[in-house]
Amino acid sequence: MYVYDEHDHKIIQERVAQFRDQTNRYLAGELKDEEFLPLRLQNGLYIQRLAPMLRIAVPYGLLSATQVRKLAHISRVYDKGYCHMTTRQNVQFNWPNLEDVPDILAELAEVEMHAVQTSGNCIRNVTSDQFAGVATDEIVDPRPYCEIIRQWSTFHPEFAFLPRKFKIAVSGSVDDRAAIHFHDIGLQIVKSENGSVGFKVLVGGGLGRTPVIGSVIREFLAENDLLTYLEAILRVYNLHGRRDNKYKARIKILVKAMGPEEFAKRVEAEWEHIRDSQTLLTDKEIKRAKSFFTAPDYEAIDVQAAEAELASAASENKAFSNWLARNVTDHKVDGYKAVTLSLKPTGIAPGDVTDKQLEIIADLADKYSFGELRATHEQNIVLADVKVSELFNLWQEAKAAGFATANIGTLTDIICCPGGDFCSLANAKSIPIAEAIQREFDDLDYLYDLGDLDLNISGCMNACGHHHIGHIGILGVDKKGAEFYQVQLGGNAGNNAALAKVLGPAFSAEDMPTVVRKLVDVFVEKRVEGEQFFETYNRVGIEPFKERIYAKAS
């Protein structure tokens, strides 16, 4: 993983000192609320429903065990003993005291972490595939390019005050696990016929109150041209993006208004002016970035023997077998697997993890995965480099710590924003709805029979829970002061990107488990052998689901 150099350390330390002074001046009454607001947002500090919220950057989801132990320490000393993993691979503290935030940032700097650009109208945290570097379908490891983008975008003076926040995702595999179609810029790494590495560039995707699937504006961009082309996109957006209405200020609105072809023309025209500028990536710089993401010291393993031992253990233990099937992923190196630790046991807010659990996660990473781990945009944790021979021991330790719920990819692996329990923007609570649905579907064998099924919940139309791209999406809405929930069907975050359609009138919180049960019943009745939920939905359409849900009792 990337290690800070002297410039990184100096910049972050200077930012901490600067914000400490700004905070002290605010607390002393020398800065007004409206003056302090942009300053705190530039350092990831929000004011939520009940307390400040501090969002910590986790570039492309990659963390070291040392960093996780620091997060555990901060949650214990400065918060209420837990933190929250977000859908942008970041970490949030929901209960810090304002006067403590400079101290928190100083402690984060000790382990090469920060909260810079986790808020505000700037380029936010760059996200990627949680299996980057180990995926069997990987074309090229995307992490070096994510790091290049991070270094270029951090404190970039030209893009510090964009019309609206800006998000970039990079996928380096055949299967898109980074939701690149739903970002302001999505980059798919590709190879030309002669083997040259480049990018397919998508622009104008996003969720929120106006969900849009991104448009391809360039089929192949050479890797050396990455930053100059991104710069051209940002310049066109900065020049033409609306600043008079924040609800129409995202680049997706601009691309839709101009049309993808016209937008692409303007980007190409701007690019011609700057493509050979100092921002042009050199082979030396790409090589430097790649040097931080070399493979760990994998052992030569007797794969046949290890697999035979694993099969024997699985045959004797159904729970372990279920976990292998759902939480363990193939690895590009023989004898190794990637393991997803579930943060979705029933009764726990999806993505929440305690200080003690963070310490255990760090210990597991040190013991089983070269001291590294990844936060996923599905709000789980991945140990990417686990020896096959150690899977059973890892499972036992994960089970004891509450991380071995064998539900990855199932209906109960719910993506869920903090909702009305915390967020001042929310129209309704999200966490209790997630728990109620998890309790409704507590039969693992039935879950496995349903197959892969994405259920996403957002407490408001800002869509932090990605409800637009769930196979089943749930949106909290306010109806005359009461909390209700709108259901959407047919979303897809992957290669076959799709936006969900609204089923019909909203439901009460009490109705939601039954509503989801009926939706699943229709799927089970209508599916053909081997079909997943979204495949059945695409074949039969929304009407059978609507008829079942809104049928009047005879």
Side-chain angles (χ1 to χ4, degrees):
M1 63 189 299
Y2 179 72
V3 178
Y4 280 14
D5 62 20
E6 60 181 291
H7 301 292
D8 296 305
H9 283 291
K10 183 179 180 181
I11 288 170
I12 296 303
Q13 288 166 1
E14 288 176 348
R15 171 53 76 94
V16 172
Q18 180 190 60
F19 187 64
R20 187 183 297 280
D21 177 64
Q22 292 166 345
T23 303
N24 289 339
R25 288 160 58 203
Y26 172 71
L27 292 172
E30 297 172 13
L31 289 175
K32 298 178 182 179
D33 285 345
E34 60 269 24
E35 293 173 320
F36 186 58
L37 187 149
L39 303 177
R40 64 172 171 80
L41 288 180
Q42 289 170 11
N43 291 278
L45 184 62
Y46 290 75
I47 301 300
Q48 295 285 68
R49 186 181 296 274
L50 301 172
M53 180 272 283
L54 182 63
R55 181 179 294 147
I56 311 304
V58 183
Y60 37 93
L62 191 58
L63 287 160
S64 70
T66 299
Q67 290 172 330
V68 172
R69 290 190 180 95
K70 178 61 76 174
L71 294 175
H73 166 77
I74 290 171
S75 67
R76 186 163 50 243
V77 173
Y78 299 102
D79 209 276
K80 292 194 174 183
Y82 71 96
C83 64
H84 177 72
M85 300 293 172
T86 80
T87 53
R88 285 205 63 74
Q89 299 179 302
N90 286 323
V91 173
Q92 289 180 181
F93 292 107
N94 288 314
W95 301 96
N97 293 317
L98 176 57
E99 58 268 26
D100 290 334
V101 171
D103 290 335
I104 294 173
L105 297 179
E107 294 222 28
L108 288 169
E110 293 175 1
V111 294
E112 302 184 350
M113 297 186 75
H114 59 76
V116 172
Q117 293 180 204
T118 58
S119 182
N121 296 334
C122 57
I123 299 172
R124 300 284 188 88
N125 191 47
V126 180
T127 58
S128 191
D129 179 4
Q130 64 265 29
F131 300 116
V134 303
T136 56
D137 67 333
E138 189 164 81
I139 301 163
V140 173
D141 186 348
R143 293 174 300 172
Y145 302 100
C146 291
E147 178 56 31
I148 287 170
I149 295 169
R150 185 196 71 80
Q151 292 189 26
W152 163 76
S153 63
T154 301
F155 298 125
H156 196 305
E158 189 175 348
F159 307 132
F161 296 98
L162 295 167
R164 199 70 174 88
K165 58 186 176 181
F166 204 90
K167 300 175 181 179
I168 301 173
V170 188
S171 173
S173 297
V174 173
D175 285 336
D176 173 19
R177 290 178 289 270
I180 61 172
H181 292 82
F182 302 100
H183 283 74
D184 298 288
I185 295 177
L187 298 171
Q188 172 63 56
I189 298 180
V190 292
K191 285 188 176 181
S192 66
E193 291 182 359
N194 65 8
S196 299
V197 174
F199 302 89
K200 178 188 287 187
V201 183
L202 294 85
V203 175
L207 301 177
R209 62 178 66 226
T210 309
V212 179
I213 297 174
S215 301
V216 176
I217 66 165
R218 192 172 181 85
E219 289 288 346
F220 186 85
L221 176 73
E223 62 177 341
N224 300 88
D225 294 321
L226 174 61
L227 295 186
T228 55
Y229 199 78
L230 294 184
E231 195 162 283
I233 294 171
L234 267 295
R235 284 188 172 184
V236 172
Y237 173 50
N238 218 359
L239 180 63
H240 298 286
R242 293 185 61 173
R243 295 178 182 269
D244 61 325
N245 185 333
K246 72 175 184 178
Y247 301 116
K248 297 181 179 181
R250 296 293 293 270
I251 194 174
K252 62 188 177 183
I253 304 299
L254 178 63
V255 173
K256 190 174 181 179
M258 280 188 177
E261 291 185 3
E262 176 61 25
F263 183 85
K265 287 180 182 177
R266 298 200 185 198
V267 170
E268 293 288 328
E270 177 63 31
W271 188 43
E272 283 302 313
H273 296 299
I274 62 174
R275 63 182 301 175
D276 294 322
S277 66
Q278 290 182 332
T279 313
L280 180 69
L281 277 174
T282 64
D283 292 340
K284 180 180 179 181
E285 178 59 22
I286 294 171
K287 183 178 180 180
R288 186 188 76 86
K290 288 182 177 180
S291 71
F292 295 106
F293 302 97
T294 55
D297 189 16
Y298 294 121
E299 295 180 17
I301 293 172
D302 185 338
V303 177
Q304 188 172 359
E307 293 285 358
E309 185 178 344
L310 183 66
S312 176
S315 67
E316 297 172 1
N317 191 313
K318 183 179 179 181
F320 179 54
S321 178
N322 289 341
W323 182 77
L324 288 175
R326 274 288 158 190
N327 295 45
V328 177
T329 305
D330 286 341
H331 195 291
K332 64 168 57 175
V333 176
D334 289 341
Y336 285 82
K337 300 285 186 180
V339 172
T340 302
L341 303 178
S342 174
L343 301 185
K344 314 286 182 64
T346 300
I348 301 297
D352 278 6
V353 57
T354 70
D355 58 329
K356 293 180 181 178
Q357 288 179 317
L358 287 167
E359 297 277 8
I360 293 170
I361 289 171
D363 291 343
L364 293 177
D366 276 336
K367 187 173 182 180
Y368 295 108
S369 193
F370 300 99
E372 291 184 2
L373 56 140
R374 293 102 180 277
T376 80
H377 79 263
E378 291 95 353
Q379 300 173 291
N380 293 307
I381 295 292
V382 166
L383 301 180
D385 299 293
V386 180
K387 287 190 286 188
V388 169
S389 59
E390 294 182 337
L391 286 170
F392 186 75
N393 290 337
L394 171 57
W395 171 71
Q396 288 183 309
E397 293 189 43
K399 183 179 178 183
F403 302 131
T405 305
N407 66 341
I408 300 303
T410 72
L411 176 62
T412 62
D413 184 18
I414 297 171
I415 290 177
C416 179
C417 74
D421 286 307
F422 298 97
C423 183
S424 59
L425 300 177
N427 294 315
K429 294 181 174 65
S430 301
I431 296 169
I433 304 304
E435 180 177 349
I437 293 169
Q438 287 174 324
R439 294 194 184 283
E440 178 73 17
F441 294 90
D442 61 353
D443 183 339
L444 282 177
D445 288 333
Y446 184 66
L447 282 180
Y448 299 152
D449 179 64
L450 296 177
D452 292 343
L453 206 169
D454 297 339
L455 192 150
N456 301 350
I457 306 175
S458 297
C460 76
M461 64 180 65
N462 287 302
C464 294
H466 297 180
H467 65 276
H468 295 298
I469 51 177
H471 302 154
I472 299 174
I474 298 173
L475 168 64
V477 295
D478 183 301
K479 294 180 68 173
K480 297 180 180 180
E483 295 184 3
F484 277 76
Y485 297 86
Q486 181 190 85
V487 174
Q488 303 180 9
L489 296 180
N492 196 326
N495 292 17
N496 300 313
L499 292 166
K501 295 181 179 179
V502 175
L503 185 67
F507 306 93
S508 69
E510 293 74 19
D511 290 336
M512 286 311 301
T514 301
V515 168
V516 176
R517 173 67 69 175
K518 289 181 179 179
L519 294 173
V520 170
D521 287 344
V522 173
F523 160 56
V524 171
E525 293 167 13
K526 299 291 185 180
R527 68 181 172 180
V528 298
E529 186 175 356
E531 271 189 337
Q532 302 294 327
F533 183 93
F534 74 92
E535 293 171 325
T536 300
Y537 171 84
N538 287 338
R539 180 171 55 81
V540 306
I542 200 170
E543 289 305 318
F545 297 94
K546 186 178 294 187
E547 290 171 5
R548 179 68 57 87
I549 295 299
Y550 297 107
K552 294 182 180 179
S554 57

